[in-house]
Each structure stands twice: as structure tokens, then as C-alpha cells.
Amino acid sequence: MNPSPPPFTGGPPVCRPDPAAGQRWTFGFAGGLTAEVHTHGARLHGLWAPDRHGRTADVVLAPRDPGETTAAARYFGATVGRYANRIAHGRFTLDGTPYQLTTQENGHCLHGGTDGFDTRTWEAESVHTPERTGVLLHLRSPDGDQGFPGNLDATVGYLIGRNDELTLTYAAVTDAATPVNLTNHAYFNLEGEGAGTVLDHELTVDASHYTPVDGDLLPHGEHLPVSGTAFDLRRPLRLSEALARPGRRPMAVGGGYDHNFVLASGGDGTLRRAAVLHAPVTGRRMEVFTTEPGLQVYTGGQFEGTVVGKSGTPYGAGAGVALETQHFPDSPNRPGDPSTVLRPGEEYRSMTVLRFGVRG
């Protein structure tokens, strides 16, 4: 069984101290979405949404122990940065100066390095109006943090509206040129956390191209058309069907998707639809809108049951799917991709909206 929502009847966000989570913030509107956000990692720890019968379930994967934020559970629900996704060998050159970042996975920099934003405890403040409620979280990343140049001040917002939308906002300023690419790393299961796999979910991705990767999941070559491949998700397709196509499996090792999709929106700052996730069993439907040019789809093919979820169920392969709105992997080393460089006097801004509803 999925855990019940935390005690909450609306009103301003409620803050509870927790040594493992930093602070637990709970917020939402009666009869709609309820969220739980932790200040450690600016982390979405829970999100309760109604199904077609009005029954709520937590649709976000997270470890049973909120202090388990290392190893396999490290990125669950977290805000990742200073650079989401991978930078090859942790190296890039900016304005003629070479930089070396901390590295971990196969000698590359993943999600900001060995001590990324997901490991920090952010400062939080509540936001509450008649139409929206939530929290803003703030972090100072000093010059040289994980090898990145410049002092960076970042703000992440989680805001729920009365229209059953969860809006994630990102903002940052710097005093020296630096790459910035922030995203949220939540895994979703619209049948409910711990209910099984997402293989019966239908996924639509509004992308005509994707980014091919090598064995280290680093980009190689140009973005390729999705037409005629396992990456063509422009129409709703059950994940079980997509992953079973003969000769078209997206990944030879681990199975499933862990790829960047080049969105039709182009990342021009306009909020446009990127994806739709639908669970026919419960009727829950989540539309993803973003100002970002890319969407990293990861179907958890490498989950091995080492993380035990909030409901007490170990997370096996396909227990959830991450839909990470972001710029493209290794962009600091790929001049043909949209730039991720933030300079003094500029402001980094990004928005992603998760719109929930039911169908059928």
C-alpha cells in the first residue's frame, strides 16, 4: 500500500525540522496536489495526486529513510547542479581558460560533481497566496565549487496552484562566467510509489531528434532524427512496447532510456509542452511543460532493488521514470548546442510545469 498523505488541510506551508532531511515542508490545496519538499538537496520527497476515483497516492519515488541520499538513492527527487547531466572527463574551456571539475562516474562529471547541489542543505522560505502555495529555496555556491568558476547564487521554487499544477522555477546570478544547467531529478510512477513498474505507462515526447550516446552515456556525433527508431515517442506509446521493439532497444546495457531528447520548443524561453505521461490503470496524467531545450528521459533500467521505497517496496528496474528538463549533456564542450554559459549581469531563468489530471 502507498503511504497516506502527510497531515495537511491547506493553508500556508507547514515546516517540520528533521535531522535527516534538513526541514520538511508540506504544502498544497485541499482536494488537489500535496507536496513534501526537503531542504537537504532541495528535494521533492513526495507528491500526492488524485486518480480517476479521487483517491490520492504518492507518485514520487523516494527512499524510506530520508537520510539515505547517497549511492543508489543520491539523486531521487533532488535539485542537481551546478551542471545537470554529464561533462566529459570533467573538463571544459571557457573564454580561453581550462577548468577541471571533480569527477565520479567513469571519470566524468555527473550532476555537478562529487559534492553537487543535491548534497547541500538549502535555505527555505514559504510562499502562500490564495492561488498558489509552496517554498523557495536558496543556495550560495562559492567560486571554485567542484571546480566551477564564479560565486553563484541559485534559487529553486516549488509552487502548487489550485489548478493541480506543480511549477518548478530556477534562477541564478554569478560574478564570473560559468556554465549553469539546473533540473529536478524526481522519478514518477503514476500508479503510485511502490506499485510496480512504469512499463504500462504511456509516454509521449514532443521531440523530432534525440542525442545518441556512447557507452559512458556521453554524446557523440550530431543529434539524430527519431523517425524509425525506438526514440520516436511523438505519439503515445506504452513503455513496454517501446522497449520490446526488435532491434530498436534504446540501450543495449541495462535496457530502457537514458537519453536527451531535443524538444520542438527549441528552448527560446517560451513555456511549451515537452511530454505527457499517462497511467491507464489509475487514469492519472502528467503533462510536462518547460522553457528548456532538452528532456532527459531515464526509465530506471539500472535499478537493482537496493533502494527501499517509502512504502517498503524495493525499487527494481523500471520502478519509475525521470523526465529531466534541461540543456543538453556536455554542452560546454559542444559549441553547436545551445549555450549554458551564464555571465555577470545576466540572470539564469528556467521553468518547468507539471500539470496533473485524469483520463478515462
Side-chain angles (χ1 to χ4, degrees), residues 4-349:
S4 299
F8 192 76
T9 57
V14 174
C15 176
R16 293 175 292 151
D18 186 316
Q23 295 174 337
R24 295 173 179 247
W25 286 86
T26 306
F27 53 93
F29 288 107
L33 296 179
T34 297
E36 182 174 294
V37 169
H38 295 178
T39 55
H40 181 70
R43 194 175 303 268
L44 180 63
H45 185 75
L47 184 64
W48 288 262
D51 66 8
R52 65 167 62 91
H53 302 294
R55 297 184 295 245
T56 59
D58 188 353
V59 298
V60 167
L61 274 60
R64 179 169 52 185
D65 176 5
E68 186 185 353
T69 54
T70 58
R74 175 173 174 179
Y75 300 117
F76 278 53
T79 298
V80 294
R82 190 178 295 195
Y83 196 94
N85 218 307
R86 293 165 176 82
I87 296 178
H89 310 292
R91 295 195 294 264
F92 66 91
T93 298
L94 179 56
D95 295 338
T97 300
Y99 294 92
Q100 176 65 60
L101 309 175
T102 62
T103 59
Q104 64 274 61
E105 187 181 84
N106 298 324
H108 307 296
C109 183
L110 174 64
H111 295 328
T114 55
D115 184 23
F117 287 3
D118 62 289
T119 70
R120 317 293 173 82
T121 298
W122 298 53
E123 297 292 326
E125 60 176 315
S126 65
V127 174
H128 187 71
T129 71
E131 297 303 320
R132 65 176 190 167
T133 186
V135 292
L136 297 177
L137 301 108
H138 310 282
L139 181 72
R140 160 60 72 96
S141 173
D143 180 33
D145 189 1
Q146 306 305 293
F148 287 98
N151 296 294
L152 186 81
D153 290 298
T155 299
V156 174
Y158 292 92
L159 300 170
I160 287 178
R162 289 191 178 276
N163 54 356
D164 281 344
E165 291 184 351
L166 173 63
T167 299
L168 291 79
T169 60
Y170 305 87
V173 294
T174 182
D175 60 6
T178 185
V180 181
N181 184 28
L182 305 178
T183 194
N184 179 270
H185 207 293
Y187 294 96
F188 295 94
N189 186 326
L190 300 186
E191 293 182 15
E193 176 274 330
T197 74
V198 293
L199 293 182
D200 283 338
H201 284 43
E202 296 173 345
L203 178 63
T204 307
V205 178
D206 296 329
S208 61
H209 288 72
Y210 76 101
T211 303
V213 293
D214 62 19
D216 285 349
L217 297 176
L218 287 165
H220 65 85
E222 300 301 317
H223 305 299
L224 296 180
V226 300
S227 181
T229 75
F231 301 95
D232 193 348
L233 300 172
R234 289 173 291 181
R235 295 182 179 180
L237 189 65
R238 285 184 188 260
L239 287 172
S240 58
E241 180 182 348
L243 301 180
R245 290 178 171 182
R248 294 187 178 180
R249 291 177 63 81
M251 292 177 63
V253 178
Y257 297 94
D258 195 357
H259 296 79
N260 172 66
F261 286 76
V262 181
L263 298 175
S265 65
D268 61 1
T270 301
L271 189 69
R272 293 189 175 96
R273 198 185 79 168
V276 181
L277 188 66
H278 174 234
V281 170
T282 63
R284 292 190 186 93
R285 185 173 187 263
M286 183 179 77
E287 293 182 275
V288 181
F289 297 82
T290 188
T291 58
E292 289 295 292
L295 180 74
Q296 185 82 11
V297 176
Y298 176 44
T299 51
Q302 297 180 349
F303 289 176
E304 298 177 339
T306 55
V307 177
V308 178
K310 293 170 284 189
S311 60
T313 302
Y315 294 147
V321 56
L323 302 172
E324 305 161 56
T325 55
Q326 57 188 260
H327 272 58
F328 305 155
D330 203 29
S331 288
N333 295 309
R334 294 171 58 86
D337 286 348
S339 175
T340 58
V341 176
L342 179 69
R343 297 186 180 277
E346 300 175 345
E347 185 175 19
Y348 171 92
R349 282 197 172 275

